[in-house]
Amino acid sequence: MHDSHPSPPAGAGHEHDSHHAYAEHAPHVNYLFIFILLCICTILSAVFDLLPSKRVVTVLVLAVAVAKAQFVMRYFMHLKFEGKWKYVLLLPTAILACGLPLALAPDIGLHYYPPAIPQLQYESGARGEGAAHAAEHADEAHPEGEHPDAEATAPAHE
Amino acid sequence: MGLPIPNSKLGMWLFLGTEIMFFTAFIGTYIVLYFGSVDATGRSAWPTDTSITHINILAGAINTFVLIFSSYMVVVAHEAMGQRDFKKAYKSLVITFACSCLFLGIKGIEYYGKWSHDILPGRIAETDEEALHKIVRELDGGMNAWVNDLIPGDAPIHIKQGVTSQVETAATELATVNTQLESADRGAREALETRQAQLEALVDNADDVRAWQELNREFNSLRDKVSQNSITLDQAKDVLHHLEGDARFAPAVSAVHHPQPILYGNIFASTYFLMTGFHAIHVIVGMILFALVLKEGDRLNEKWHDWVENSGLYWHFVDLVWIFLFPMIYIIPGI
């Protein structure tokens, strides 16, 4: 189902064509149903957040987000009813969009900070020592009770 | 020849293509920083505890609903435009505009929460030591602002701080200055009047000035301990708690934020404000697009069909971005 009318000239003729083109080619979609589906998906996201497994929550919540994006793109943005030009236009951007995180992942995502992070090194007085050495001896250097900062600098979510 | 769509729609889709790359750059960067910000065990230590980051999941969920509903209204408006039901289209666009205002209002409340807790880029203490220095810095700022209010005039802060030591003798000296003013020539009058204003402030605010002096002694003690590294964050919190309990010190102590170190808090705040801020700018642009249609009022006609369609595409994209920002920033916990 394609929107096949040519590029419209300016003026009243274009308005007329535009209207008729819409009347002829307008997709028949129950938008209210799509809206309700999107609401259900949003509620599901909030409910999934209550699950105990963090990994499961992450997968489910992202899956719901992808489903919602599908609904919006396919029906609200009418991509389901557009011609093949949509692939020509959107595939290159999608590839480039995926490329950036993939390109950043090796240097930033995997090695942005070494396991012995600068903040913890600074706190433990291990500045100047090798990162691995600091990580190995962190507990030794600051036994429980002696170093009050250890708890505060622990990961917030743990 | 060419693609079988109007030029305006092609232009909008090309623009949206660039927008996809714009936002995925942010989202992709957020993801790699999330996994790259590790603790000593190599696991992600990205701050996700909402009691620390002050992320408001309910506000995010409501905003998600608001944007979805506005997207629905836009598509209804577009359909109504095609059916030449301009009144219905207008009403739908008014609701969309109202939804965008509501979205920004809720976002503003969220931002205020971050502001009031100082969850701002470059301002978050990431270690206990940084938190201790932040307490000193903020208390110093609060005390300077307080003494600036207590002592009138444009004198530098250190001069005003010195003036507070004269609180006990201020009444006597004020009588002398008043007498001198009666016979002073024009040249000496200005300096005497400045002095008179300072002394009057000391007399009028004597209790507050004494409280400032007392707090200053506490502050100097705390600052010395912090600089000598002879106080822990918990001990400093106790001192702060003690000071907060004395209502006289409120003008200065209220400037100190709760000292909570947040590991990777600054980069978290940077990415949070970058992504949600640019999204909010896009919402504002969408509002402008809809406002231009709404100003037509009863004159809305088929001429605006393509405008509504293309604005609608843009708005759906704004919704689309939020669909991913909501789980990523608000829901996904540390893994």
Side-chain angles (χ1 to χ4, degrees):
Chain A
M1 194 161 190
H2 296 181
D3 185 358
S4 59
H5 59 90
S7 300
H14 154 60
E15 292 150 20
H16 189 71
D17 290 349
S18 181
H19 169 64
H20 279 284
Y22 183 87
E24 286 170 20
H25 301 290
H28 298 289
V29 180
N30 187 344
Y31 294 117
L32 182 61
F33 180 66
I34 303 297
F35 168 65
I36 291 168
L37 283 178
L38 287 168
C39 289
I40 291 170
C41 285
T42 304
I43 293 166
L44 278 177
S45 295
V47 171
F48 288 153
D49 190 38
L50 302 174
L51 294 174
S53 169
K54 293 174 179 177
R55 285 178 189 274
V56 172
V57 172
T58 304
V59 171
L60 288 177
V61 164
L62 284 179
V64 168
V66 170
K68 284 163 76 176
Q70 286 283 321
F71 288 136
V72 170
M73 286 193 295
R74 287 167 70 86
Y75 297 104
F76 282 2
M77 299 176 93
H78 293 157
L79 277 179
K80 184 181 179 186
F81 313 105
E82 300 290 2
K84 288 189 168 49
W85 61 263
K86 63 191 173 194
Y87 300 114
V88 178
L89 216 62
L90 294 176
L91 268 181
T93 58
I95 291 167
L96 287 171
C98 295
L100 182 82
L102 290 175
L104 287 175
D107 289 335
I108 309 293
L110 303 179
H111 304 290
Y112 162 55
Y113 269 124
I117 57 175
Q119 287 95 324
L120 287 178
Q121 276 185 278
Y122 190 80
E123 279 296 293
S124 63
R127 276 187 301 171
E129 294 180 21
H133 182 266
E136 279 172 22
H137 299 282
D139 292 336
E140 236 177 272
H142 303 287
E144 194 176 325
E146 188 181 318
H147 182 49
D149 302 345
E151 190 183 334
T153 48
H157 59 81
E158 288 186 358
Chain B
M1 290 296 288
L3 295 174
I5 52 173
N7 287 342
S8 60
K9 190 170 172 180
L10 174 63
M12 177 52 75
W13 270 110
L14 284 171
F15 171 67
L16 292 183
T18 66
E19 288 283 84
I20 289 169
M21 290 186 283
F22 181 77
F23 274 104
T24 49
F26 292 148
I27 292 171
T29 306
Y30 177 86
I31 291 170
V32 294
L33 288 176
Y34 180 100
F35 287 105
S37 303
V38 293
D39 62 14
T41 65
R43 291 159 63 93
S44 172
W46 194 256
T48 53
D49 186 342
T50 51
S51 66
I52 292 175
T53 58
H54 297 278
I55 286 284
N56 191 333
I57 295 175
L58 180 64
I62 293 171
N63 261 350
T64 305
F65 172 78
V66 168
L67 272 191
I68 288 172
F69 183 63
S70 68
S71 251
Y72 169 61
M73 280 293 117
V74 167
V75 87
V76 168
H78 177 221
E79 193 177 45
M81 288 294 286
Q83 294 163 348
R84 302 177 69 85
D85 188 349
F86 302 116
K87 207 169 179 179
K88 184 181 177 185
Y90 189 83
K91 278 182 188 169
S92 301
L93 289 174
V94 166
I95 294 171
T96 303
F97 191 84
C99 283
S100 58
C101 293
L102 181 60
F103 179 90
L104 287 182
I106 293 171
K107 182 53 65 188
I109 292 169
E110 277 191 72
Y111 276 13
Y112 178 74
K114 300 280 180 303
W115 179 271
S116 61
H117 290 97
D118 215 25
I119 307 291
L120 300 170
R123 297 181 62 90
I124 300 168
E126 298 204 16
T127 63
D128 282 16
E129 185 173 1
E130 286 178 7
L132 283 167
H133 285 289
K134 189 178 177 185
I135 292 172
V136 170
R137 194 169 60 246
E138 289 183 338
L139 190 53
D140 190 27
M143 292 190 59
N144 287 343
W146 191 15
V147 78
N148 201 35
D149 289 342
L150 287 173
I151 311 296
D154 300 327
I157 286 295
H158 70 277
I159 299 290
K160 290 189 175 187
Q161 289 171 341
V163 168
T164 59
S165 64
Q166 298 154 7
V167 64
E168 305 305 337
T169 59
T172 315
E173 193 185 342
L174 181 59
T176 310
V177 169
N178 283 341
T179 310
Q180 288 171 341
L181 261 174
E182 288 171 9
S183 57
D185 58 15
R186 185 182 287 182
R189 179 166 285 275
E190 193 176 339
L192 282 170
E193 282 176 347
T194 304
R195 183 64 181 151
Q196 183 193 39
Q198 287 180 347
L199 292 168
E200 281 177 349
L202 284 176
V203 171
D204 292 345
N205 305 318
D207 288 342
D208 284 342
V209 173
R210 289 190 191 101
W212 185 89
Q213 288 178 315
E214 191 179 333
L215 182 59
N216 194 38
R217 284 190 288 275
E218 297 274 3
F219 168 70
N220 287 333
S221 166
L222 180 66
R223 186 183 55 191
D224 291 346
K225 285 176 185 169
V226 169
S227 61
Q228 291 160 11
N229 206 18
S230 62
I231 187 170
T232 65
L233 181 59
D234 286 338
Q235 289 168 338
K237 280 180 183 176
D238 288 342
V239 172
L240 199 59
H241 185 67
H242 165 69
L243 297 178
E244 282 168 346
D246 194 326
R248 295 176 303 153
F249 302 149
V253 178
S254 61
V256 183
H257 294 92
H258 178 67
Q260 171 66 60
I262 308 174
L263 190 61
Y264 300 118
N266 289 297
I267 198 153
F268 158 79
S270 294
T271 49
Y272 170 83
F273 281 107
L274 192 73
M275 290 197 291
T276 59
F278 268 112
H279 182 263
I281 289 171
H282 279 73
V283 170
I284 292 168
V285 171
M287 289 170 74
I288 294 169
L289 293 176
F290 293 132
L292 289 171
V293 187
L294 292 176
K295 76 174 175 50
E296 290 296 304
D298 294 339
R299 291 166 297 169
L300 185 64
N301 56 37
E302 61 268 26
K303 264 200 311 187
W304 289 87
H305 177 272
D306 286 357
W307 181 284
V308 171
E309 181 180 17
N310 293 325
S311 307
L313 283 174
Y314 173 83
W315 194 251
H316 296 315
F317 174 77
V318 171
D319 183 21
L320 209 55
V321 171
W322 187 256
I323 282 173
F324 285 102
L325 291 189
F326 173 59
M328 282 181 53
I329 297 177
Y330 290 79
I331 293 185
I332 292 179
I335 55 175

